[in-house]
């Protein structure tokens, strides 16, 4: 699908509102309309034009009624954009039981 939020695109926009200070979380989503409303969001960067403070939100989730958990709206906390992201390697072992394999998309959350 095309449009403003097409695959691998970056959309920049401005929002005017009262001063909220450091942005600690965002809630973002869509209305589920259109011919292909499923959306996989990678990240959101927010910069206050007044004090130039930046906030980073790593999303990496589907927003779709027919993907993942079916949510089309989510809330994300800010991550420290001054600290570099660290890469972790995972080894996931599927058992040898009959029918144990899957062709589903797997997700993992590190806490």
């Amino acid at each position: 699908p095309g449009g403003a939020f097409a695959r691998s695109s970056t959309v920049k926009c401005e929002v005017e509102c009262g001063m909220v200070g450091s942005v600690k979380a965002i809630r973002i989503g869509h209305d589920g309309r259109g011919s292909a409303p499923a959306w996989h969001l990678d990240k959101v960067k927010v910069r206050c034009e007044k004090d130039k403070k930046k906030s980073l939100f790593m999303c990496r989730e589907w927003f779709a009624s027919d993907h993942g958990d079916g949510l089309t709206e989510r809330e994300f906390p800010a991550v420290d954009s001054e600290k570099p992201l660290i890469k972790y390697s995972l080894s996931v072992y599927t058992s040898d039981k009959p029918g144990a394999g899957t062709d589903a998309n797997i997700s993992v959350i590190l806490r």
Side-chain angles (χ1 to χ4, degrees), residues 11-33:
V11 175
K12 295 183 179 187
C13 60
E14 293 182 353
V15 176
E16 290 187 31
C17 63
M19 185 70 166
V20 297
S22 294
V23 181
K24 295 177 178 49
I26 61 166
R27 179 168 281 281
I28 189 167
H30 65 76
D31 65 7
R33 295 182 182 165

Side-chain angles (χ1 to χ4, degrees), residues 1-92:
F5 295 95
R7 183 176 180 223
S8 296
S9 68
T10 299
V11 175
K12 295 183 179 187
C13 60
E14 293 182 353
V15 176
E16 290 187 31
C17 63
M19 185 70 166
V20 297
S22 294
V23 181
K24 295 177 178 49
I26 61 166
R27 179 168 281 281
I28 189 167
H30 65 76
D31 65 7
R33 295 182 182 165
S35 62
W39 179 40
H40 192 273
L41 177 60
D42 185 43
K43 63 188 168 206
V44 175
K45 294 179 182 179
V46 175
R47 185 180 100 151
C48 176
E49 294 300 322
K50 183 173 183 172
D51 63 15
K52 307 303 182 206
K53 289 186 179 178
K54 298 176 185 176
S55 299
L56 175 64
F57 305 89
M58 298 306 296
C59 306
R60 299 180 176 156
E61 294 277 357
W62 277 104
F63 291 71
S65 59
D66 59 349
H67 286 75
D69 58 13
L71 295 177
T72 58
E73 184 176 300
R74 299 174 180 281
E75 186 166 322
F76 297 97
V79 298
D80 188 344
S81 61
E82 299 300 315
K83 292 182 182 177
L85 295 178
I86 305 299
K87 185 180 283 188
Y88 291 85
S89 295
L90 301 173
S91 297
V92 179

